[in-house]
Amino acid sequence: MKQWMKKIAVMMIAIVTLGMYVPASLTEEPSDAKARYNSDSDVSETSSPAVLEQTPPLTDPMLELSEKAKEQVMRKMGPRIADRVADEFTAVILPHIEQVMQTVMLDENGKPISHYGITEDPASGYGERIFHIYDYQQEENVVKFHVRRDHRPLEGHWFNFHYHLKDDQFETHYEIGEIFWDKNTPPKWMA
């Protein structure tokens, strides 16, 4: 395209878009285009090089699920709650959650059940749901991990971590542990 045609096209586009968009391909001078290429290589600096994906090192699937569970809990709590209880959660509650996950998600040979996964939709507001272990083959929940807010008169507010099993139609609360919040009401989840 002739140089004066490029300049007119750039001005028209700039006027129509009120200067918000100026096409880079039209403003580029021919010498700029040549400068982008290194004479020693046949790959331009602006293009992204093709990289062969490396296979990640073998990791423990239970470790990955444990990290995902911790991430879900921190996501549910939100930054205001997580900042205050993260250390106690990691020291007291997370080991119990990992223990329950290992008993549920490992088969009789001690290998992870491949069609089990963790849901990624914690309940916000005042809901209890943290995450569920889901059987993707049967399309049903196997274990539900919840946290309830308890207000005990004269003691204050506590977070009660528990889980429910499919074996008893999720009726029984199996205790994991509790974390004390404060005498004041904690904020809503994910706040």
Side-chain angles (χ1 to χ4, degrees), residues 66-86:
S66 174
E67 285 298 316
K68 190 171 181 180
K70 182 178 179 180
E71 177 185 313
Q72 287 299 108
V73 172
M74 293 302 152
R75 184 174 154 214
K76 172 161 181 74
M77 289 183 182
R80 291 176 61 195
I81 297 174
D83 287 346
R84 286 186 48 187
V85 301

Side-chain angles (χ1 to χ4, degrees), residues 2-190:
K2 295 202 181 231
Q3 193 65 20
W4 62 274
M5 291 284 287
K6 283 184 181 180
K7 290 181 180 181
I8 290 175
V10 168
M11 287 191 316
M12 294 301 291
I13 292 173
I15 291 171
V16 169
T17 62
L18 300 174
M20 297 298 286
Y21 174 73
V22 178
S25 63
L26 293 178
T27 60
E28 185 177 271
E29 296 293 324
S31 61
D32 292 342
K34 289 179 185 173
R36 282 190 300 160
Y37 295 98
N38 183 350
S39 61
D40 296 338
S41 71
D42 55 347
V43 178
S44 75
E45 293 174 14
T46 58
S47 66
S48 58
V51 178
L52 295 176
E53 288 189 31
Q54 297 177 353
T55 56
L58 294 175
T59 58
D60 181 16
M62 287 307 296
L63 182 63
E64 288 178 22
L65 290 173
S66 174
E67 285 298 316
K68 190 171 181 180
K70 182 178 179 180
E71 177 185 313
Q72 287 299 108
V73 172
M74 293 302 152
R75 184 174 154 214
K76 172 161 181 74
M77 289 183 182
R80 291 176 61 195
I81 297 174
D83 287 346
R84 286 186 48 187
V85 301
D87 294 338
E88 190 173 356
F89 169 79
T90 304
V92 178
I93 305 298
L94 187 60
H96 293 292
I97 290 175
E98 290 171 342
Q99 184 180 13
V100 172
M101 287 173 57
Q102 284 185 349
T103 59
V104 171
M105 297 184 77
L106 297 178
D107 64 10
E108 56 275 349
N109 298 328
K111 295 185 179 180
I113 300 173
S114 62
H115 53 88
Y116 280 10
I118 293 178
T119 60
E120 297 185 4
D121 56 341
S124 60
Y126 295 109
E128 290 188 6
R129 180 181 64 242
I130 303 173
F131 66 90
H132 296 169
I133 294 178
Y134 190 77
D135 182 346
Y136 288 99
Q137 258 184 359
Q138 302 293 324
E139 296 182 357
E140 62 185 5
N141 288 316
V142 179
V143 182
K144 297 179 178 183
F145 288 93
H146 292 171
V147 59
R148 182 180 62 230
R149 306 152 148 285
D150 290 339
H151 179 223
R152 300 178 189 157
L154 304 176
E155 285 187 39
H157 295 271
W158 292 77
F159 298 132
N160 175 283
F161 291 86
H162 60 276
Y163 64 97
H164 306 274
L165 295 173
K166 177 186 82 168
D167 298 339
D168 64 357
Q169 286 71 41
F170 307 107
E171 294 287 327
T172 307
H173 279 66
Y174 297 95
E175 290 290 324
I176 296 174
E178 295 181 317
I179 296 178
F180 177 72
W181 170 256
D182 198 341
K183 297 255 183 195
N184 298 323
T185 306
K188 289 182 181 179
W189 300 124
M190 301 171 109

